[in-house]
Amino acid sequence: MAKKAQFASKIGLIAATVGSAVGLGNIWRFPAEAQANGGAAFLIVYILCALVLGIPVMLAEFSLGRAGQSGAVGSFQRLKASRAWGAVGFIAVLASYLILCFYMVVAGWTFEYLWQSITGHLYEPVQGASNLQSQFASRMEEFICDPWNPLINTYAVIIVNILILIAGVQKGIERLSNILMPLLFVILLVFTCVAMTLPKAAEGLSYFFHPDFTKLTPTVVLNALGQSFFSMSLGMGILITYAAYFPRDARLTKTAFTVAGLDLMVSVMMGMIIFPAVMSFNLEGESLRGATMVFVTLPEIFAAIPLTQLWSILFFLLLLVAAITSTISIAEVTVAMLQDRLKLSRVRAVLLALMPLFAFSALCSLSQGPLSHFLVFGMNIFDLLDNFATNILLPLGSILLCIYIGWFAPEWLLPRELTNDGALHSRYVPLVKFAIKYVAPVLILFVLLTPILN
Ligand code: PFF
């Protein structure tokens, strides 16, 4: 039998796991969520959610994966859990696959915008556009609604993913993350410095860092919780899958704090970039939502400052790097499952997992344009997948995982994995167990039920 794949170094495993966590969720979703939910008040709740819930759930995934030495489904089976728990693994795989379908499309958009920044096409005037905002808005509209162009870009990103994944865990995922993650941090640092030179940088920072607790509502708490799970890649089996590649002497608690800390740092840096821009350019509401912020508002700002093309290239490169290191981790969940369950070679498993995306992601892509009138529950396919997977499957997967690790897994599992067979301190094990057993399931259940109770 082929030797089990493993990350070659501690730095490599951190780079790959941070690469998974840091994605469009931090760069694109976090600033918009923070802006809509009261700035600093949101930030504080978000940090609390990451500490009280995110880190314990992350440790539950790490422990399961490293002890089970397999993917999201196989790990339950290797630990002799009943069949029902294997089904929980399948929920995670399903959630990850659904998310992958539309994440590839968005990654494709960033690819196109990087290309248009390099050629300068993005900043050429558009006929009939009266100002910069309408110029970028109509350019985005024209691109996203086009049947072919987004599709070609999505396919390009899928092919890049296939090539990286075929290269393997060490030579593909780890090697790429070792190069791309430092690059991502350098670009972010450059943007943070540039944001500090904006005219209203101080006002922006003060809005982001000085909490106004009157803004704190149950919705803010819910949104912060959802965002922290999305951002830390929890509930989809990604971290179970990656932990199976961790060497035996990797320290899980230290890794969890490092990954959560760096993920948080990227989100905070994005806040330190966006809020000074918000104040300096009088941005609000819609201009900061989703695709509009990335493809209309930011290019508008770049066009207004010197070195337009340079900033534009750097920013879309940042987005693409963040997106690719996340897509490979999401795809690896299915690849690992197929390799393990069907005993397929790496190449076959990668092809079997990713080829269907040429059809599924195409559907998501077309649902933004030619198929936008095809609605299910009032949503197009893209939004439906996003909402169903992110708001229902992710929390459901996390809650079931906590119940398994807290109540049903063998007693030795958590202490053994967290202390590396007794070699490390075990003081914090009861605390982690308490958080996994009681705190996380109750709070996540509360999140799941809130939309229903409302
Ligand atoms: N954590 C990554 C991000 O924030 O973009 C990747 C990701 C994980 C996306 C989980 C979506 C998700 F539900």
Side-chain angles (χ1 to χ4, degrees), residues 120-180:
H121 180 63
L122 183 57
Y123 295 93
E124 284 165 10
V126 169
Q127 256 198 353
S130 53
N131 55 26
L132 277 177
Q133 193 193 3
S134 61
Q135 171 181 323
F136 292 114
S138 55
R139 178 145 275 145
M140 178 177 91
E141 182 85 10
E142 188 192 323
F143 167 64
I144 290 180
C145 296
D146 185 84
W148 296 112
N149 209 357
L151 208 59
I152 294 167
N153 284 283
T154 303
Y155 284 0
V157 175
I158 297 176
I159 292 169
V160 170
N161 269 270
I162 291 179
L163 296 176
I164 300 168
L165 288 167
I166 283 182
V169 172
Q170 246 178 49
K171 296 209 174 102
I173 300 176
E174 181 173 357
R175 197 156 64 174
L176 191 88
S177 307
N178 276 338
I179 301 168
L180 293 185

Side-chain angles (χ1 to χ4, degrees), residues 20-26 99 103 229-234 236 238 326 330 390 394:
S20 166
V22 171
L24 301 176
N26 307 65
I99 288 178
Y103 211 94
F229 272 62
F230 188 95
S231 187
M232 291 162 86
S233 295
L234 300 174
M236 290 199 300
I238 294 181
S326 292
I330 309 177
T390 321
L394 279 190

Side-chain angles (χ1 to χ4, degrees), residues 39 41 60 113 133 150 178-179 181 216 235-237 241 243 246 250 252 254 305 362 381 386 394 400 408 416 437 445:
Y113 269 70
Q133 193 193 3
N178 276 338
I179 301 168
M181 292 321 286
L216 212 60
M236 290 199 300
T241 308
F246 287 2
L252 299 190
K254 200 169 152 196
I305 59 177
I381 300 168
D386 186 359
L394 279 190
L400 292 171
F408 294 91
R416 190 190 85 177
K437 206 167 173 174
L445 188 67

Side-chain angles (χ1 to χ4, degrees), residues 72-263:
V73 180
S75 288
F76 283 107
Q77 288 171 341
R78 297 253 168 106
L79 291 170
K80 310 235 173 329
S82 71
R83 273 174 171 267
W85 291 111
V88 170
F90 269 116
I91 296 187
V93 178
L94 180 69
S96 70
Y97 205 82
L98 294 181
I99 288 178
L100 193 59
C101 294
F102 66 83
Y103 211 94
M104 285 291 189
V105 176
V106 185
W109 295 349
T110 67
F111 192 46
E112 166 73 13
Y113 269 70
L114 174 62
W115 181 242
Q116 286 200 22
S117 303
I118 294 170
T119 60
H121 180 63
L122 183 57
Y123 295 93
E124 284 165 10
V126 169
Q127 256 198 353
S130 53
N131 55 26
L132 277 177
Q133 193 193 3
S134 61
Q135 171 181 323
F136 292 114
S138 55
R139 178 145 275 145
M140 178 177 91
E141 182 85 10
E142 188 192 323
F143 167 64
I144 290 180
C145 296
D146 185 84
W148 296 112
N149 209 357
L151 208 59
I152 294 167
N153 284 283
T154 303
Y155 284 0
V157 175
I158 297 176
I159 292 169
V160 170
N161 269 270
I162 291 179
L163 296 176
I164 300 168
L165 288 167
I166 283 182
V169 172
Q170 246 178 49
K171 296 209 174 102
I173 300 176
E174 181 173 357
R175 197 156 64 174
L176 191 88
S177 307
N178 276 338
I179 301 168
L180 293 185
M181 292 321 286
L183 175 71
L184 180 136
F185 277 92
V186 170
I187 300 179
L188 259 179
L189 200 63
V190 171
F191 273 108
T192 313
C193 295
V194 173
M196 294 305 111
T197 66
L198 291 174
K200 291 196 180 159
E203 275 110 309
L205 291 184
S206 129
Y207 176 79
F208 187 43
F209 288 123
H210 287 120
D212 170 2
F213 287 109
T214 57
K215 298 255 171 68
L216 212 60
T217 60
T219 321
V220 171
V221 179
L222 288 187
N223 290 342
L225 194 68
Q227 173 64 22
S228 66
F229 272 62
F230 188 95
S231 187
M232 291 162 86
S233 295
L234 300 174
M236 290 199 300
I238 294 181
L239 301 181
I240 302 176
T241 308
Y242 269 20
Y245 306 140
F246 287 2
R248 239 345 298 146
D249 63 346
R251 298 172 171 217
L252 299 190
T253 317
K254 200 169 152 196
T255 307
F257 274 97
T258 312
V259 172
L262 289 173
D263 183 62

